[in-house]
Amino acid sequence: MSKQDVITDWVHCHVCGNKTRLQLQADTELKNFPLYCPKCKQESLIDAKDLQVTVIKGIEAKIQS
């Protein structure tokens, strides 16, 4: 399998809709993964399988001072 044959997709924030820093391949599976959006500073728990992302729970990001 060459690099061109791998199907990938960016994960988008469910709050603001922008791309996050996470990219998934078609065979990636995630459970209870904490997804952080650098733009809106929100954190969510997600599940991912077959490039389908499901939001489990939205969590407000805790800003440390």
Side-chain angles (χ1 to χ4, degrees):
M1 183 181 267
S2 70
K3 191 173 183 178
Q4 294 175 344
D5 295 336
V6 177
I7 299 172
T8 61
D9 194 18
W10 289 99
V11 177
H12 293 264
C13 175
H14 76 284
V15 177
C16 67
N18 285 338
K19 282 195 280 186
T20 61
R21 295 179 179 147
L22 183 67
Q23 192 173 20
L24 299 177
Q25 292 183 348
D27 61 347
T28 301
E29 291 185 23
L30 299 172
K31 278 196 173 259
N32 296 325
F33 184 81
L35 178 69
Y36 177 75
C37 177
K39 183 174 182 196
C40 68
K41 296 178 179 34
Q42 296 292 312
E43 188 173 306
S44 306
L45 285 178
I46 64 167
D47 284 345
K49 186 174 183 180
D50 299 326
L51 296 177
Q52 296 295 319
V53 177
T54 306
V55 177
I56 299 171
K57 183 178 178 184
I59 305 171
E60 289 189 24
K62 296 177 183 175
I63 301 172
Q64 297 178 353
S65 54

